[in-house]
Amino acid sequence: MTDINKIYSELTIIGTGMAGMAAAYFASKNKIETTQIGINSGIIYSSGFFDLMGVHPIEDRKTWENPWQAIDKLVSDIPDHPYARLGRSNIESAMDQFMEFMNEAERPYMVRKNQNTKVITPVGTVKSTYGVPRSMWAGAVALKEKHPCLIVDFWGLKAFSAKQITDMLMPRWPGIRPLRISFPAVGPSSDLYPEQMARSLEIEANRIQLAEAIRPDLGDAAALGLPAILGIYKPRQVREHLEELLGVDIFEIPTIPPSLPGLRLKEAIEAKITGRGVRLLSQKRVLSAAQNTDGTFELSIGDRATSEIQQIIGCNAVILAGGRFLGMGLHAGRKKIREPLFDLPVFQPEDRALWHQTNFFDPRGHQISQAGLEIDDSFRPTDLAGKPVYDNLFAAGSILAHQDWMRQKCGAGLSIATAYGAVKAFKKLNIEHPTSNIEF
Ligand SMILES: Cc1cc2nc3c(=O)[nH]c(=O)nc-3n(C[C@H](O)[C@H](O)[C@H](O)COP(=O)(O)OP(=O)(O)OC[C@H]3O[C@@H](n4cnc5c(N)ncnc54)[C@H](O)[C@@H]3O)c2cc1C
């Protein structure tokens, strides 16, 4: 044990998903000395859209144009939903600050004031979301205005079909049509992958070739939709150059997961938060957690594959943003769902037989999708009596109970807003942190 590296951190965030990343951003903004640990997360599967609140009640599949009205109704119907701990002004501040941060990170988002925006999905359906990556915005505008539009796909690129997308949209958007071409510098027979295509389009000559291949079929199109392949590091420059070459608005449509917008998001946020001083232990796992007699936590850290302890972190407080089953923040055993690190009580159906409905597509969703940690108003996981289990342990994101982010269409919003709530609560409760000014 003697040569194991020990470090101290004021705050440790467990999780590098959307909730962990947002918590790291809010902590760095408030000058809290922070360490963040995690392995791959849902972020890389994300389409890049920031859902805030789209569907409630889920059994009626009622969709909302105004996400704030949806949240008001949700909170009055489900007072235990994590959004109810925040109130509109906190959720709004969290979203506004995170959008500003995305702008700083050169991944700007577009938002319609008090309105969800309809966007095109990889299979040609339409969904409502709140924050739209700038690279996809012209698609939302073209869809709304029904501008003449060309959707392009490529020989060799699997699981993205311009024909399928236009067939789905044509009944409501007669001016949309498909085109399939060869990707420049590759030819018709190769398999293509979005990442490889995106790298290729960072080279100017390839963009010129791509524009030349599309130009003869552009016709009356006022907008051009492409799969999300417009660069990894410089998506704005790639898109703007193609727009200049072709003289039309260009937008991306996400490909099926894992898609490039998720990867771009992860890389941009990581670069920005580490630049702000967050110590990021990427591809590391917290193997165990224990509380010292003085109330601080001691976390044992290893790599993702082995259970060998490589590092110890001592910290004043922890934000647990471990996700649900995919992220491994919760573990589904034979009889019970457990929280494996702190052994926190998990809200869950009484019996395993109640985890899932018999019909997989039951409109009410499954009870297991509402399982998770119950929290107090300071985002601290509580025991069965409703008291915080630890004064200095907070939780955020999809690990929280009483929400079904997938069906309610509130994935990113829930992560960002609860991360904001957890960091704000840490600041408020942490009397031993005299150095920073409250930025909330
Ligand atoms: C396929 C897919 C598509 C999505 N599309 C959208 C979308 O279009 N719009 C939208 O708003 N949201 C979308 N989301 C949801 C969103 O990206 C987030 O997954 C969701 O908000 C939950 O994030 P989270 O941070 O709570 O959990 P996760 O993303 O699951 O992250 C949990 C993190 O905790 C870490 N962790 C757990 N245990 C440990 C441990 N012991 N030690 C270290 N690290 C640990 C994991 O490694 C991981 O980094 C999508 C998600 C998926 C999976």
Side-chain angles (χ1 to χ4, degrees), residues 14-21 37-52 127 129 257 284-288 320-330 340-341 396-399 405-406 409-416:
I14 302 176
T16 48
M18 190 53 111
M21 291 297 186
I37 306 154
I39 311 172
N40 291 337
S41 70
I43 268 195
I44 56 164
Y45 300 105
S46 159
S47 54
F49 298 125
F50 284 174
D51 301 346
L52 176 59
K127 81 163 214 172
T129 192
K284 299 284 179 201
R285 176 175 293 287
V286 180
L287 303 172
S288 63
L320 180 58
R324 274 194 178 141
F325 306 104
L326 180 71
M328 294 167 69
L330 297 179
L341 277 180
S398 61
I399 197 169
W405 65 263
M406 210 180 294
K409 301 281 178 244
C410 64
L414 180 96
S415 292
I416 295 165

Side-chain angles (χ1 to χ4, degrees), residues 35-88:
T35 302
Q36 185 183 14
I37 306 154
I39 311 172
N40 291 337
S41 70
I43 268 195
I44 56 164
Y45 300 105
S46 159
S47 54
F49 298 125
F50 284 174
D51 301 346
L52 176 59
M53 189 64 216
V55 177
H56 175 73
I58 51 176
E59 57 272 31
D60 299 341
R61 296 191 177 145
K62 178 174 165 46
T63 57
W64 294 73
E65 275 199 12
N66 182 326
W68 304 109
Q69 286 174 356
I71 289 173
D72 286 347
K73 177 82 173 107
L74 171 92
V75 164
S76 95
D77 292 346
I78 311 175
D80 286 331
H81 192 284
Y83 274 159
R85 306 274 171 202
L86 288 151
R88 174 167 173 174

Side-chain angles (χ1 to χ4, degrees), residues 376-380 391 394 419-430 440:
D376 68 359
D377 284 341
S378 298
F379 287 81
R380 293 173 301 185
D391 284 347
F394 305 83
Y420 177 87
V423 175
K424 188 171 177 179
F426 164 79
K427 283 284 292 195
K428 205 165 155 205
L429 296 175
N430 189 347
F440 290 106

Side-chain angles (χ1 to χ4, degrees), residues 295-311:
T296 58
F297 287 109
E298 197 161 287
L299 308 177
S300 308
I301 312 298
D303 71 24
R304 57 180 303 171
T306 69
S307 52
E308 188 191 331
I309 299 174
Q310 298 171 334
Q311 201 164 28

